[in-house]
Amino acid sequence: MKTIPMSKLPLGRGATVYGLICDGGLKRRFFDIGLFPNASVKRVSKSPLGDPSCYMINGVLIAIRDRDAEKIKVMLEI
């Protein structure tokens, strides 16, 4: 199945986290907010200037910068 960066997830679309392409503090931060393989995410909105975007992760809305969301690979839900 094809993966895309989470930053490219269309508004309103859900996806499943496939993997993280980072390490250290950023990877720890992602794990702390519930971004780990097989977690469900949905891109809910974008800020007025386009960055950051708001994602629903485990029932919580979290804003993530596009440069950080690029490091999260997701599979689109059908």
Side-chain angles (χ1 to χ4, degrees), residues 6 17 29-36 39-44 53-64 72:
M6 193 168 81
V17 175
R29 179 175 164 249
F30 287 155
F31 281 177
D32 288 346
I33 61 175
L35 281 169
F36 42 80
S40 293
V41 298
K42 181 178 181 181
R43 190 174 195 174
V44 178
S53 291
C54 187
Y55 298 90
M56 177 72 71
I57 304 166
N58 295 326
V60 178
L61 292 174
I62 298 176
I64 300 177
I72 303 164

Side-chain angles (χ1 to χ4, degrees), residues 3 13 15 17-19 21-22 25 38 40-41 47 51-52 55 61-65 68 70-73:
T3 63
R13 281 295 297 269
V17 175
Y18 180 76
I21 305 172
C22 59
N38 297 320
S40 293
V41 298
S47 71
D51 190 29
Y55 298 90
L61 292 174
I62 298 176
I64 300 177
R65 294 181 297 238
D68 292 336
E70 282 284 324
K71 297 174 178 140
I72 303 164
K73 297 295 182 188

